[in-house]
């Protein structure tokens, strides 16, 4: 990475938020964490990375772009072992997260998927439009079958 093209390596949402950052500031932010990782072998580096990444709520999730009827309109759905998350693009923390036991039902159609979330007396619906409904539905069904097999639901 050179001083001429360093902005190419910075994610676009961060570039918009941190317009006043200089090359030296970015280099310092990247070099600090890298110094901590130097000196280890490949196996140690992989273990450190996994230990760090497993702390993320959506580690191991599968992500799908979608549109929601209510705000925020453009979202990212993430199917995870525990349930699903709704992210606003560019944000690290999910806007909504629901565990599979909290989802009463879902009904996929050609271009949309509708969730009924809550309990038998108090529930609400969320509808998402995505061309990847079949992929999402297949992934979620596979996870639920595996969870049922392991008696985790």
């Amino acid at each position: 990475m050179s001083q001429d093209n360093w902005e190419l390596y910075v994610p676009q949402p961060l570039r918009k938020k941190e317009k006043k950052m200089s090359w030296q500031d970015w280099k310092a932010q990247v070099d600090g964490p890298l110094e901590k990782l130097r000196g280890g072998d490949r196996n140690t580096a992989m273990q450190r990375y996994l230990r760090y990444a497993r702390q993320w709520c959506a580690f191991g999730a599968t992500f799908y772009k979608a549109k929601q009827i209510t705000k925020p309109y453009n979202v990212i759905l993430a199917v995870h072992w525990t349930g699903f998350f709704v992210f606003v693009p560019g944000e690290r923390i999910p806007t909504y997260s629901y565990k599979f036991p909290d989802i009463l039902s879902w009904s996929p159609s050609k271009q949309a998927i509708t969730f009924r979330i809550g309990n038998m007396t108090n529930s609400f619906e969320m509808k998402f439009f995505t061309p990847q409904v079949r992929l999402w539905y297949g992934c979620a069904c596979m996870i639920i079958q595996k969870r049922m097999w392991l008696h985790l639901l």
Side-chain angles (χ1 to χ4, degrees), residues 40-100:
D41 61 348
R42 181 179 179 201
N43 215 11
T44 306
M46 287 171 49
Q47 288 175 354
R48 285 181 183 170
Y49 168 76
L50 284 175
R51 204 173 309 124
Y52 176 70
R54 284 185 180 139
Q55 297 171 10
W56 303 337
C57 64
F59 175 75
T62 305
F63 297 90
Y64 303 96
K65 288 183 179 179
K67 291 191 184 285
Q68 191 175 348
I69 293 175
T70 58
K71 287 186 179 180
Y73 299 113
N74 292 321
V75 295
I76 297 172
L77 293 176
V79 184
H80 188 266
W81 175 252
T82 59
F84 82 94
F85 301 103
V86 179
F87 286 91
V88 173
E91 297 294 323
R92 291 178 14 191
I93 298 171
T95 307
Y96 309 107
S97 63
Y98 301 102
K99 299 197 179 301
F100 282 119

